[in-house]
DNA sequence: TTGATTTAGGTGTATATACTCCTATATTGA
DNA sequence: TCAATATAGGAGTATATACACCTAAATCAA
């Protein structure tokens, strides 16, 4: 392992963040006509596929912090794409569901997403894209492992 | 190419963003004792390695939007880790440089970074990490290609 | 049953990201 | 020279991210 001053390219975190920034800009540009950003599309598309979910459940599936998702759904609620209902069984929870408007928006955005996906795969290569997704998925689902010192009682 | 409703795992953008979120949390936790976040460390470490740079040059190297870097250096300036000087040749530009305090901070944070890097590589595998970095780097440096319709005159 | 603990989610705060529009300076061309 | 253009960077706005701390509701244990 080299020093980052000698080899800044060696940092896994920096490499992933740079790639995420770059790719997000591409997808965001293609999604722009749909009036959504990549993160918003990922939320709506997941709700469309899985049906109503609680905030915690959806955040976990999206590998997103619970509080981040709580903030990210605010503009979607404001725009009437998502509705929130108090959980029937557990009254602490909140069920998120797509509205009619949200369903329509997802369908429209899907066309944009396809273009972004096609553009990326044609320029980066479908094979390498597949390998990248597989590695990225393994990273996202991997155990964080023993992190910084946690003081337990 | 499958529908994202059928195969949300197929989205390159989502996969990269999830991985970046996950890994950033790990690195941020290890960097916490240094009082910096991963992005801040990447800025200081680059300045340390390359010496004074303008905002545009540094942003380009970090694969970061110019305006994003402009915002990201504000807390670093506030904390006295970075100093800004008007460019000598081109008076529109601004030269960013590490202060003494900034140099010391980078040295201290390097230890934290090493721990984060070691933790990640030991849990994910050094070989797969190397492959991931190589793909991520190719993505970050790749031509965005023909993006959404741009209206040129 | 009821007090302790756990869990679902929100709030305050801070940083990260990038688009659009703006000003100032530099460069270029007639 | 000087007007047109290009470039460096900032400001306004909006979303994205997550930690620490808080409240309410559910669960567990004595």
């Amino acid at each position: 392992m080299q020093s980052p001053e000698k080899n800044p390219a060696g940092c896994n975190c920096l490499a992933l963040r740079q790639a995420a920034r770059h790719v997000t800009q591409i997808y965001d540009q293609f999604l722009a006509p749909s009036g959504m950003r990549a993160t918003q599309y990922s939320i709506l598309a997941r709700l469309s596929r899985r049906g109503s979910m609680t905030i915690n459940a959806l955040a976990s599936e999206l590998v997103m912090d619970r509080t981040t998702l709580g903030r990210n759904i605010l503009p979607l609620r404001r725009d009437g794409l998502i509705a929130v209902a108090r959980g029937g069984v557990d009254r602490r929870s909140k069920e998120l569901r797509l509205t009619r408007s949200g369903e329509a928006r997802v369908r429209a955005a899907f066309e944009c997403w396809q273009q972004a996906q096609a553009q990326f795969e044609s320029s980066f290569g479908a094979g390498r894209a597949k390998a990248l997704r597989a590695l990225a998925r393994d990273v996202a689902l991997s155990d964080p492992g023993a992190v910084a010192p946690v003081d337990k009682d």
Side-chain angles (χ1 to χ4, degrees), chain A residues 46-63:
Chain A
R46 186 65 60 123
L47 277 179
S48 172
R49 190 178 77 96
R50 298 267 283 101
S52 290
M53 299 179 70
T54 65
I55 289 182
N56 271 332
L58 182 55
S60 176
E61 284 203 6
L62 291 175
V63 191

Side-chain angles (χ1 to χ4, degrees), chain A residues 41-112:
Chain A
Y41 179 66
S42 73
I43 293 171
L44 295 196
R46 186 65 60 123
L47 277 179
S48 172
R49 190 178 77 96
R50 298 267 283 101
S52 290
M53 299 179 70
T54 65
I55 289 182
N56 271 332
L58 182 55
S60 176
E61 284 203 6
L62 291 175
V63 191
M64 184 181 290
D65 187 85
R66 170 185 69 77
T67 67
T68 299
L69 179 58
R71 292 268 149 80
N72 286 348
I73 61 177
L74 293 181
L76 300 174
R77 292 178 60 177
R78 179 200 59 202
D79 297 344
L81 305 175
I82 281 183
V84 181
R86 181 173 291 269
V89 182
D90 187 335
R91 286 186 308 177
R92 292 170 303 180
S93 65
K94 296 188 174 179
E95 292 284 331
L96 306 180
R97 70 171 181 82
L98 277 186
T99 62
R100 289 285 178 86
S101 177
E103 299 270 15
R105 190 72 76 90
V106 168
R107 278 193 297 273
F110 174 61
E111 310 290 333
C112 302

